[in-house]
Amino acid sequence: MKKILVLFAHPRYEQSRTNRTLIEGIKGMDGVTIHDLYERYPDFNIDIFIEKDLLKHNDVIVWHHPFYWYSCPPLLKQWIDIVLEFGWAYGPDGDALVGKQALNVLTAGGTREVYCSEGRNNYTIREFLRPFEQTARLCGMDYLPPFAVMGTHKLSREELTTHIDQYQELLRSLQGDSIDIPEGDSCQFLNDLSFLQNTQAK
Amino acid sequence: MTGNFLFQAVIYLSAAIVCVPIAKRFGLSSVLGYLLAGIIIGPYLLGFIGEEGEDILHFAEFGVVMMLFLIGLEIEPKAFWRMKKTILGMGGSQVLFTVILCFLILSLLGYSWQSSVSIAMALALSSTAIVLQTLKEKNLMDTVYGASSFSILLFQDIIVIPMLAIVPLLGTASGSTSDGHDSGHSSLLDNLPIGLQTVFVLLSVVIVVLAGRYLIVPLLRVVAGTRLRELFSASTLLIVIAIAYLMELVGLSPALGAFLGGVVLATSEFKHELESNLEPFKGLLLGLFFIAVGASINFGMIIDSPVEISLMVLGVIALKGVVLYIVASIFRIKMDQKLLIAVGLAQVGEFAFVLLSFTNQLGILSREQLDLFLVITAISMTLAPLLAIFNERVILPRIGTKESEEKPMDTIDKKNKIILVGFGHFGSTVGRFLRANGVELTILDHDSSRVDLLRKLGFEVYYGDATREDLLESAGAGEADILISAIDDPEATMEMVEVLKRNYPNLKLMVRAKSRVDAYELLNAGVTNIYRESLDTSVRVAEDALHFLGHRKYTTHRQAQNFKKYDEESLRRLANKVLNSDEYIFRAREEIAQQETLLKEDLKRGNLYDDDTSWDSESMRTRINKKE
């Protein structure tokens, strides 16, 4: 069974209904480590040794964060900047992460419709996530499409529950390596994969 | 005479010391132990005390006065006001129904209506002393049972005043003169007309309230300023005795006056200090009181008519219990709590002694009737703790309606109880920040003028020496989640930590440490959350100095963060290597040795700068160029 590390970054966790329920939903899952970055490093002084050690012992890296200004909150960027060290994660002899899987799990206030070439935000979520995708690639990791909870401002209780079920199911499948993901950009969101759509029907 | 007194003291104290631990060993309340001690040394068993038992009873009633003062201290006027519905509702209906029922039954048994009324009133009262002592011992004050019992008892303690006022009127109505009154305590006001008497009574209440505000508190401040502990104890005793004396002078119940005085002082900064000073006196006097009750049981009478007396005792307890059960039902109290209340308050209380003796002095009750009901009262008080055990061990396990609460997820509980010790320049910053975040604090400080000032600014600050076990207890160390120590004096800090570690192992401690060596001592005492007052500030000075030398701010800031981290780590690493010596000369030497170790470690580790490879393009360049 693959081990999953959820790197969670939210500067105002206590006021985020969606992220709180999502995190509560996956708390205590076997083989899933939730690493609450803002709780651990309120001073942004990230302990590189601890972080490298965590990465070494996990197979799937989840960047779980709200989508702020088309990117992640600053502490997660700080994490990428100083943990993914030259000569360790990339560059000469930088092969510590090769073969691992990486993906973004994000929440956004806007709906899918505003994130497209005709929409208000002009670009798709996948396009905005290119820096993460390329970061993963440079480190030799396998980058998966994002799992996104969109339109959080108008999410009903039932819809949120479905998202939690899907998030759990997704992590379980990633542990078992049983998902079949189409190559390239043909899959915009992991949410659309048929096995998660079945979860919704439940 | 003195020899006699000492002999008596030896008898009482040894009886208590033998009986109370035995009662405790069997899981019974200490009240029962005292009662048993009284029975054993009383006139019918060992005969160590005879007639004088009654005098001692009167003397020991002062324990009840102190208890009511302490109860008053617990109740802030605001809380008192909030409880008015339960006090008036539950207490009022309990007393009313019990009096009516007892009156009817006694009338049917052939008592004159005057004696029926006075006996009914006496029987309606429960024992504040027994019930509150038991509630405190078993830590039940916060339960529904505890709060309801307290409300009912409080109402009874208040209603006893008008009762004492009504009884003489009955005397007049029955035709007997009130000269029996003179044999008891005579009050200054007896010869005054009723209207003036009322004025004086009201006046004395006003005096107690005003004196509490404008005389006692300033007086205590002066006394606290002398820093003599025994003087403070003396003032505490003086306050209670003076109030009791004043009340007796105008013919009011000293207990009620003391209660009132307590309520007035409940909001003062000396609340906890007063409590911890009075607690031992109250305990001793109450113990004496219970012993006297045990000794006063007239076994001769029981032997003469065992059936009649046991029937009457059972009848009274059953009647009171049923009334309490019905009242509790009206107030929708859960089954288990209802039973606890019904059984817990079913006894006749100590005020019955006062009321009945008074009635006898007025000639309403005959000596036989008085004796009969005194015996009933004493027996019911003796049975009370036994009944409570029966309730707890036999009935309750069969019902089991436990309260369960649903917890909302991950919300911050604003009612977290925090005690902050020390409110000087360090503690005040801690307190201000916590208060700015809506956290309620209980603050202890030993500087009475500062306490005064802070209270004016709206802080809940109490005066007292926090190394004292009893003061920490009354400040709520038993219920608090966190205790923050901001004490300046390292020795006082250690002393308090030891007391806390011994008595409240579950209380989370956050402790200010003056120096590295103090921090070692605290670490070795088992404290994990230690805050060295020198660390953060001094590192910040060095950080700024580096900035003035031309270093970039963020880089030096990261250096500072790492330095603090290393220092905390080394603190914990080196703590167990430290010899614990109290001698100052050794401490100083130790401190120098520590400095040496640290400096050597710093040298070995080298420049922190070299460790930080984040955003370091230079090392990247060298590596890439080397490869090519």
Side-chain angles (χ1 to χ4, degrees):
Chain A
M1 194 174 79
K2 284 184 174 176
K3 284 186 170 164
I4 300 179
L5 174 65
V6 178
L7 293 165
F8 175 64
H10 198 305
R12 205 73 191 266
Y13 175 68
E14 66 274 31
Q15 304 216 327
S16 159
R17 177 182 72 126
T18 312
N19 277 293
R20 218 169 53 207
T21 17
L22 283 174
I23 287 292
E24 286 291 328
I26 60 163
K27 231 178 221 170
M29 277 181 76
D30 218 23
V32 177
T33 308
I34 301 171
H35 190 37
D36 187 345
L37 291 177
Y38 272 94
E39 188 70 8
R40 182 72 174 72
Y41 304 117
D43 51 3
F44 274 52
N45 191 23
I46 295 169
D47 189 318
I48 299 172
F49 295 100
I50 290 179
E51 295 304 313
K52 281 180 174 174
D53 199 52
L54 269 172
L55 287 174
K56 233 183 268 171
H57 290 98
N58 283 282
D59 311 295
V60 183
I61 314 302
V62 178
W63 290 307
H64 180 156
H65 59 91
F67 207 46
Y68 288 159
W69 285 105
Y70 314 112
S71 185
C72 63
L75 182 56
L76 186 54
K77 178 64 166 67
Q78 177 102 333
W79 182 92
I80 291 172
D81 281 4
I82 68 177
V83 177
L84 304 182
E85 271 185 332
F86 173 76
W88 183 80
Y90 71 105
D93 311 322
D95 56 359
L97 303 175
V98 172
K100 295 183 192 291
Q101 287 177 310
L103 71 144
N104 292 74
V105 169
L106 60 90
T107 60
T111 55
R112 279 192 196 192
E113 287 70 41
V114 301
Y115 285 97
C116 66
S117 54
E118 298 81 35
R120 208 168 351 112
N121 288 324
N122 288 314
Y123 303 98
T124 64
I125 291 280
R126 268 218 87 160
E127 284 168 324
F128 282 122
L129 290 176
R130 289 295 186 220
F132 293 93
E133 185 172 349
Q134 186 50 33
T135 300
R137 287 237 179 93
L138 187 65
C139 298
M141 291 196 281
D142 201 5
Y143 184 76
L144 308 182
F147 176 83
V149 178
M150 307 294 291
T152 52
H153 300 321
K154 289 177 181 160
L155 217 53
S156 72
R157 187 77 231 173
E158 292 70 37
E159 287 168 319
L160 192 53
T161 314
T162 311
H163 284 299
I164 295 166
D165 292 342
Q166 289 179 338
Y167 193 12
Q168 289 172 341
E169 184 55 36
L170 172 67
L171 294 185
R172 267 194 293 272
S173 312
L174 285 169
Q175 286 177 323
D177 207 8
S178 59
I179 26 174
D180 197 17
I181 300 157
E183 284 292 312
D185 283 359
S186 61
C187 174
Q188 284 279 320
F189 294 100
L190 286 178
N191 310 53
D192 299 341
L193 294 181
S194 57
F195 79 98
L196 288 186
Q197 289 307 307
N198 293 340
T199 313
Q200 191 166 20
K202 251 191 324 200
Chain B
M1 210 50 195
T2 0
N4 192 31
F5 168 74
L6 290 179
F7 172 71
Q8 292 243 336
V10 169
I11 293 294
Y12 277 99
L13 291 174
S14 16
I17 287 166
V18 170
C19 291
V20 175
I22 293 176
K24 277 285 191 188
R25 173 61 57 85
F26 289 105
L28 312 173
S29 97
S30 67
V31 176
L32 198 60
Y34 285 120
L35 288 169
L36 278 177
I39 294 173
I40 290 169
I41 61 173
Y44 294 91
L45 271 175
L46 297 181
F48 283 124
I49 33 172
E51 287 298 303
E52 70 275 16
E54 220 160 286
D55 296 334
I56 286 167
L57 193 63
H58 283 302
F59 172 65
E61 265 165 25
F62 204 69
V64 181
V65 173
M66 283 191 175
M67 187 176 63
L68 275 161
F69 182 76
L70 287 170
I71 294 169
L73 273 181
E74 295 275 335
I75 307 176
E76 290 177 16
K78 242 188 288 168
F80 189 48
W81 190 241
R82 227 178 337 179
M83 286 169 68
K84 62 183 184 296
K85 231 168 105 185
T86 12
I87 296 173
L88 276 180
M90 290 187 81
S93 40
Q94 183 268 336
V95 171
L96 189 72
F97 292 146
T98 317
V99 168
I100 291 174
L101 280 175
C102 286
F103 173 75
L104 291 176
I105 293 169
L106 287 164
S107 304
L108 284 179
L109 288 175
Y111 285 81
S112 72
W113 73 265
Q114 291 93 342
S115 26
S116 301
V117 170
S118 38
I119 296 171
M121 289 194 301
L123 294 182
L125 305 172
S126 310
S127 171
T128 311
I130 290 183
V131 177
L132 283 192
Q133 186 81 358
T134 320
L135 286 177
K136 282 242 154 121
E137 264 174 40
K138 307 233 153 126
N139 223 348
L140 291 169
M141 276 310 258
D142 289 336
T143 62
V144 178
Y145 159 51
S148 318
S149 304
F150 182 71
S151 304
I152 295 174
L153 290 169
L154 198 60
F155 181 82
Q156 294 179 349
D157 293 343
I158 296 169
I159 203 73
V160 80
I161 315 305
M163 282 181 176
L164 283 169
I166 289 171
V167 172
L169 300 180
L170 294 174
T172 335
S174 74
S176 68
T177 52
S178 62
D179 39 58
H181 201 154
D182 294 337
S183 62
H185 60 279
S186 60
S187 114
L188 265 186
L189 309 177
D190 280 349
N191 302 325
L192 294 174
I194 298 267
L196 260 180
Q197 277 192 30
T198 323
V199 171
F200 273 100
V201 165
L202 286 176
L203 198 66
S204 60
V205 171
V206 173
I207 288 175
V208 169
V209 173
L210 288 182
R213 278 275 140 81
Y214 300 106
L215 183 72
I216 297 178
V217 171
L219 175 88
L220 286 176
R221 273 184 204 136
V222 174
V223 171
T226 65
R227 307 240 166 166
L228 288 171
R229 196 177 279 177
E230 66 278 8
L231 203 59
F232 202 95
S233 305
S235 331
T236 312
L237 280 180
L238 176 66
I239 292 166
V240 180
I241 294 174
I243 292 176
Y245 178 67
L246 177 72
M247 289 293 136
E248 211 145 76
L249 214 57
V250 297
L252 273 181
S253 137
L256 185 86
F259 173 75
L260 199 66
V263 173
V264 173
L265 291 172
T267 48
S268 88
E269 65 265 40
F270 297 106
K271 171 180 171 180
H272 295 309
E273 188 79 8
L274 286 171
E275 266 173 15
S276 46
N277 269 308
L278 269 188
E279 201 64 45
F281 291 110
K282 181 210 78 174
L284 268 182
L285 281 174
L286 270 189
L288 190 59
F289 175 75
F290 292 130
I291 292 179
V293 170
S296 73
I297 296 179
N298 188 339
F299 282 94
M301 195 162 206
I302 301 176
I303 292 161
D304 287 345
S305 45
V307 182
E308 192 196 347
I309 288 183
S310 23
L311 275 180
M312 288 193 80
V313 170
L314 288 180
V316 169
I317 290 178
L319 184 136
K320 290 193 75 168
V322 169
V323 169
L324 282 160
Y325 186 85
I326 293 168
V327 169
S329 302
I330 296 172
F331 281 81
R332 305 201 176 171
I333 285 167
K334 286 194 180 155
M335 193 59 173
D336 54 344
Q337 307 285 326
K338 219 155 47 177
L339 279 175
L340 281 172
I341 294 170
V343 177
L345 294 175
Q347 79 292 113
V348 185
E350 55 276 359
F351 283 119
F353 290 116
V354 182
L355 208 58
L356 289 171
S357 318
F358 189 38
T359 326
N360 172 249
Q361 285 159 17
L362 294 175
I364 300 173
L365 283 183
S366 68
R367 184 74 217 176
E368 292 74 45
Q369 289 172 324
L370 172 72
D371 273 351
L372 175 68
F373 282 96
L374 285 185
V375 164
I376 290 174
T377 305
I379 296 178
S380 81
M381 279 169 88
T382 317
L383 287 179
L386 291 172
L387 276 174
I389 293 160
F390 177 73
N391 200 351
E392 207 171 280
R393 305 217 174 137
V394 182
I395 303 178
L396 282 186
R398 279 156 218 263
I399 298 172
T401 49
K402 287 266 168 352
E403 290 171 59
S404 68
E405 266 180 280
E406 251 186 64
K407 262 200 168 171
M409 63 180 211
D410 253 339
T411 44
I412 298 160
D413 187 7
K414 284 250 164 89
K415 274 181 194 155
N416 268 350
K417 288 180 200 157
I418 299 193
I419 301 173
L420 174 61
V421 182
F423 210 71
H425 60 89
F426 191 99
S428 59
T429 314
V430 177
R432 276 172 49 211
F433 186 62
L434 285 173
R435 199 162 82 142
N437 283 284
V439 176
E440 293 292 326
L441 296 161
T442 305
I443 301 167
L444 295 178
D445 199 289
H446 70 297
D447 181 339
S448 58
S449 49
R450 180 158 63 216
V451 168
D452 184 31
L453 173 78
L454 289 167
R455 289 177 71 88
K456 281 186 189 137
L457 296 175
F459 285 91
E460 196 192 338
V461 192
Y462 295 100
Y463 166 82
D465 174 3
T467 58
R468 283 176 61 179
E469 212 170 310
D470 42 4
L471 188 79
L472 287 167
E473 174 65 37
S474 46
E479 299 93 47
D481 298 326
I482 301 174
L483 183 138
I484 301 174
S485 159
I487 302 175
D488 189 62
D489 176 16
E491 271 172 42
T493 307
M494 271 316 285
E495 210 177 310
M496 183 185 71
V497 164
E498 274 158 19
V499 170
L500 289 168
K501 279 275 164 196
R502 196 166 53 236
N503 297 301
Y504 313 101
N506 296 324
L507 181 64
K508 194 184 188 88
L509 295 182
M510 299 172 74
V511 184
R512 163 195 183 187
K514 278 292 251 201
S515 70
R516 211 182 164 81
V517 177
D518 297 330
Y520 288 142
E521 272 183 31
L522 287 166
L523 269 173
N524 291 332
V527 181
T528 43
N529 300 299
I530 296 169
Y531 302 86
R532 276 177 290 157
E533 60 175 47
S534 48
L535 182 64
D536 291 68
T537 326
S538 38
V539 172
R540 226 175 64 215
V541 171
E543 191 185 324
D544 280 357
L546 281 172
H547 163 65
F548 294 140
L549 286 176
H551 290 261
R552 294 274 304 166
K553 274 207 163 176
Y554 188 62
T555 312
T556 43
H557 183 61
R558 280 175 60 80
Q559 297 296 330
Q561 284 178 324
N562 287 335
F563 183 84
K564 277 188 271 185
K565 208 161 83 185
Y566 286 129
D567 200 60
E568 289 287 353
E569 279 166 13
S570 80
L571 181 81
R572 269 145 232 274
R573 203 174 54 238
L574 297 172
N576 43 17
K577 293 180 187 157
V578 177
L579 286 166
N580 260 326
S581 50
D582 286 330
E583 299 287 336
Y584 180 76
I585 185 88
F586 287 119
R587 275 176 76 100
R589 204 176 289 163
E590 209 166 75
E591 214 139 343
I592 293 167
Q594 282 298 316
Q595 291 284 10
E596 204 183 327
T597 325
L598 287 175
L599 288 170
K600 274 188 190 153
E601 282 210 346
D602 286 349
L603 273 176
K604 223 187 290 168
R605 199 174 49 234
N607 197 340
L608 288 170
Y609 235 67
D610 299 338
D611 268 9
D612 193 357
T613 50
S614 307
W615 302 285
D616 181 7
S617 49
E618 204 176 304
S619 69
M620 248 165 110
R621 257 199 310 277
T622 26
R623 270 197 85 171
I624 289 171
N625 292 336
K626 215 190 278 170
K627 211 132 205 168
E628 285 162 359

